Amino acid sequence: MKRTPTIAIIGGAMSGLCMAAKLKAAGITTFTIYEQGSQLGGTWRDNTYPGLTCDVPSRFYQFRFAPNPDWSRWFSGGAEIWRYFDGIADRLGLREHVELNSEVVDARFEGQRWTVAFADGREIEVDFLISACGLLRVPRYPDIPGLDSFDGAAFHSARWDHEVPVAGRRVGLIGTGSTGAQIVGALGGVAGDLKMFQRTAQWVFPMYNPRFSRLTRALHRRFPKLDTLAYDACRATIDWVAMALVAPGRRRDAIQAICRRHLRKKVADPDLRVALTPGYEPMCKRIVISSDFYPAIQRDDVHLITDGIERVEPRGVRTADGTLHELDVLVLATGFDAHAYFQPMTLTGRDGLTLREAWADGPRGYMTVALPGFPNFFMLMGPHSPVGNYSLTEIAETQAGYVVQWIELWRDGRYGAAEPRQDATDRFNARLREAIPGTVWASGCNSWYLDEDGIPELWAWAPKRHRQELSAPRLHDFELEPVAVPAVAPG
Ligand code: NAP
C-alpha cells in the first residue's frame, strides 16, 4: 500500500503547472496549486508589453510531454505563450487542482508536516511544500530622484498600462536589456518620438524568426513525434551553444564574433555604433536576441540617450548634460529582483529555523532544489538553476521529475521527512564557486545574475549536467527521518 501525500504547489505559472503535470502523470492527484493571481500564467500573464517575444525557440520553450503543433513562429510572442500554459491546465486536467487568489504568506514545518497560511487567514496542513513562484517576478524600480514627480504616465514594463496611448506620443524608455530592446523594436515608428535612456550598452545576437507554414503545423499535428524530435534537436543545439557560457573556447569566440559582426553590419553611423558597443564580453550580461532592435534605434524618430539620468521632473527626464527630455510616457524596463525567490513569503523549517536565517549569507540550496533545515520542501527555479539563456521549461521538467522521485520514496514509506545534509549542500556550493570563474558571467560586468557578493547565482556547468545530477535522488546526501505518524488521506 502506498501512502497518499498531500502536496501544496505555490505558484500557478509554468513551473507550477509542470510540477502538477508530473505528479499527475505519476498517478498522484492529491495536490493543489495555490496561485495568488486571478489567472494562471505568471510572467506570461504579467508581461504584456509591445514586442514581448520569447528568445528561446518555441519548440524548446514548451513541455516535452505536451507539445504544441500550432506555434506560429520559431520564436513566439508573449500572448501565444500565455495561451499555451493556460491551455495546459485544461489539456492535462489540472484546472480542478488550482485555487486562484490564494496568496501563501507563511509556512511552518512541525511534526513532519507543513502548515501553510494564506493572506485571507486560512491555514492548511500538507506533507510536501513545493515552491514554484518564478524567477523574474518582482519588478525592480529604479532609484532615480523625482520619479514620483512625473506628470505623465509612468509604469514598469511588467505592468504595462494599456489604457495609456503611446501612438504618436513622446515616450521615454529606461533600460536596455531584453525587454528594453524588444520594446524599442515594437514602438519605433509607433511612438511619435521614442528616447531610450542607456546606462550600459548590450550585445545583441540576431534573431531569425520565420513563421511556421500551414503545412508544417499540419504535419506536426498529424505526427506529434515530429515535435519531440524538434524539441530534442533544439535542446542538443542549445546545450552545445550553452557551453560557450560556462567555458572559454572556440564556441564562445564564435558567438562573440557574431555579436560584433551584427553590430558592425547593421549599425551604419560610426558614432551610434560606438555608443552601442558594450565595454564587456558578449554574454556576460544575458545576451539580447533581436533583429528588430538595430533597425529601430536608427530611425529618425528613435533616439539613444547615453548621458546619465540625473533626475525625473514633472515634464520629463533631466540628463547629466542639463537637457530636459520632455515626455508624455515613461516606461521603466529596469528588470526584476531575481534574488527574491518566493519571498516575501516567510518560511520556518525544523527547530524554528527561518529562511531569513538560513539565507543570511545569500540564497544557497542543494542542487537548486532543496534546503537543509527545511524538510519535505522543494524549489523549482531555486538558487543556481541554469537559467542563463536556457529554456526554463526544460529546467522545470528536470526539477519536477526529481521532486516526484522523492515523493515516490515517501509514498513507499522510506522516510517521513527528508532534507539535504548541510555538508552535501556546502560541497555543492563550494564546487559551484570553484567553477564560476570560468563562466562568462564572471568576466566583468554588472547583471541581474550576480548576488550581493558579485557571484553569478547560476548553474556554472553545462545544462546537461543539471539533468544528470537531478536524474535520481542521492539518499546519502539527505537526512532521512523515519515515518512518525501514518499520513491521513485527504477528505
Ligand atoms: P534587465 O536585463 O535586468 O535590464 C534592466 C535594464 O535597466 C538595464 O539596461 C539596466 O542598466 C537598466 N537600469 C536599471 N536601473 C537603472 C537606472 N537606475 N538607471 C538607468 N538604467 C537602469 O531587465 P529586462 O530587460 O527586463 O530583462 C530581464 C530578464 O528577463 C532578461 O535577462 C531575460 O532573462 C528575461 N527576459 C526574457 C525575454 C525573452 O525573450 N525570453 C524577454 C524579456 C526579458 P544596467 O545594465 O546599467 O544595469
Side-chain angles (χ1 to χ4, degrees):
M1 273 289 282
K2 281 190 181 271
R3 305 167 73 209
T4 305
T6 46
I7 303 164
I9 301 170
I10 309 173
M14 181 278 287
S15 49
L17 290 164
C18 180
M19 187 70 244
K22 289 272 183 190
L23 287 169
K24 195 155 184 193
I28 302 167
T29 53
T30 44
F31 62 85
T32 304
I33 297 177
Y34 297 100
E35 164 56 46
Q36 67 176 8
S38 56
Q39 275 185 315
L40 297 171
T43 200
W44 299 108
R45 172 200 63 206
D46 295 341
N47 282 274
T48 57
Y49 62 78
L52 173 62
T53 307
C54 182
D55 59 14
V56 176
S58 312
R59 300 268 181 235
F60 189 36
Y61 198 84
Q62 62 177 348
F63 297 132
R64 192 170 184 278
F65 56 79
N68 173 18
D70 292 320
W71 291 119
S72 62
R73 290 181 173 277
W74 281 35
F75 297 89
S76 300
E80 193 175 349
I81 297 170
W82 177 78
R83 281 197 300 278
Y84 168 75
F85 287 121
D86 189 59
I88 287 286
D90 297 317
R91 183 170 158 189
L92 303 182
L94 305 176
R95 210 174 284 278
E96 66 196 72
H97 296 272
V98 175
E99 286 193 21
L100 297 171
N101 303 307
S102 298
E103 184 191 354
V104 175
V105 291
D106 178 68
R108 275 163 284 129
F109 183 79
E110 271 164 352
Q112 298 195 341
R113 301 199 90 198
W114 284 95
T115 303
V116 181
F118 295 86
D120 60 9
R122 258 184 320 146
E123 281 197 353
I124 56 159
E125 272 195 26
V126 289
D127 298 306
F128 285 93
L129 182 65
I130 300 172
S131 142
C133 298
L135 181 72
L136 301 170
R137 175 175 58 89
V138 179
R140 197 175 52 197
Y141 288 86
D143 189 13
I144 299 175
L147 197 52
D148 290 340
S149 71
F150 183 54
D151 272 347
F155 45 81
H156 191 275
S157 55
R159 302 286 181 271
W160 194 275
D161 186 345
H162 291 277
E163 298 292 308
V164 174
V166 289
R169 302 183 79 198
R170 299 168 302 176
V171 179
L173 172 74
I174 302 178
T176 51
S178 304
T179 304
Q182 291 182 350
I183 293 173
V184 167
L187 285 194
V190 173
D193 185 82
L194 176 62
K195 288 187 171 161
M196 180 190 227
F197 295 91
Q198 172 182 286
R199 185 166 70 180
T200 313
Q202 290 266 1
W203 288 106
V204 182
F205 193 89
M207 177 189 276
Y208 178 65
N209 193 13
R211 295 189 77 85
F212 286 117
S213 66
R214 277 166 54 176
L215 176 64
T216 304
R217 281 183 274 150
L219 283 171
H220 276 258
R221 238 174 277 136
R222 175 75 182 81
F223 304 106
K225 184 82 188 145
L226 280 178
D227 237 295
T228 315
L229 290 172
Y231 180 101
D232 291 347
C234 281
R235 179 167 66 185
T237 309
I238 294 175
D239 276 0
W240 188 89
V241 173
M243 285 309 293
L245 299 164
V246 295
R250 282 217 298 267
R251 269 171 249 200
R252 188 180 291 178
D253 297 344
I255 292 172
Q256 296 189 343
I258 292 171
C259 292
R260 292 199 165 88
R261 185 172 185 278
H262 188 211
L263 176 64
R264 215 171 42 241
K265 292 277 171 205
K266 297 293 177 187
V267 178
D269 175 1
D271 292 337
L272 182 62
R273 208 182 306 140
V274 168
L276 288 171
T277 304
Y280 54 86
E281 281 191 47
M283 298 184 290
C284 181
K285 282 174 181 284
R286 190 182 188 279
I287 205 155
V288 173
I289 305 182
S290 172
S291 289
D292 298 334
F293 175 66
Y294 286 151
I297 200 75
Q298 293 174 84
R299 293 178 56 93
D300 291 343
D301 49 8
V302 180
H303 314 279
L304 182 75
I305 311 295
T306 54
D307 295 297
I309 296 174
E310 202 168 85
R311 60 180 179 272
V312 176
E313 299 182 3
R315 283 162 53 213
V317 169
R318 175 86 61 185
T319 45
D321 61 343
T323 308
L324 174 65
H325 302 270
E326 296 200 27
L327 302 169
D328 302 311
V329 181
L330 181 58
V331 178
L332 309 170
T334 44
F336 301 86
D337 177 1
H339 312 286
Y341 296 99
F342 32 87
Q343 295 166 45
M345 180 180 103
T346 50
L347 204 62
T348 308
R350 186 184 295 291
D351 302 328
L353 175 71
T354 64
L355 183 70
R356 187 183 284 269
E357 289 160 352
W359 280 0
D361 294 330
R364 305 259 193 289
Y366 168 84
M367 296 283 195
T368 74
V369 282
L371 284 175
F374 294 82
N376 296 4
F377 169 72
F378 291 100
M379 300 172 284
L380 276 74
M381 304 301 148
H384 296 288
S385 292
V387 297
N389 273 80
Y390 208 64
S391 170
L392 299 197
T393 59
E394 199 273 352
I395 300 160
E397 280 199 47
T398 299
Q399 294 172 335
Y402 176 84
V403 175
V404 168
Q405 294 187 60
W406 270 110
I407 294 175
E408 288 289 10
L409 291 171
W410 185 96
R411 293 179 79 198
D412 292 339
R414 300 277 297 276
Y415 68 91
E419 62 181 282
R421 296 164 59 101
Q422 189 63 53
D423 59 342
T425 307
D426 291 345
R427 266 199 312 278
F428 167 70
N429 282 285
R431 277 191 286 131
L432 253 173
R433 278 165 188 254
E434 277 168 26
I436 273 166
T439 68
V440 72
W441 311 303
S443 62
C445 70
N446 187 22
S447 76
W448 62 260
Y449 293 153
L450 306 183
D451 66 16
E452 279 178 8
D453 300 334
I455 293 174
E457 221 160 79
L458 299 182
W459 185 255
W461 305 284
K464 194 173 170 185
R465 180 163 166 179
H466 185 247
R467 289 198 288 280
Q468 287 163 347
E469 301 258 16
L470 293 185
S471 59
R474 289 184 200 150
L475 300 191
H476 54 272
D477 279 353
F478 277 65
E479 306 275 4
L480 301 182
E481 191 179 274
V483 180
V485 281
V488 179

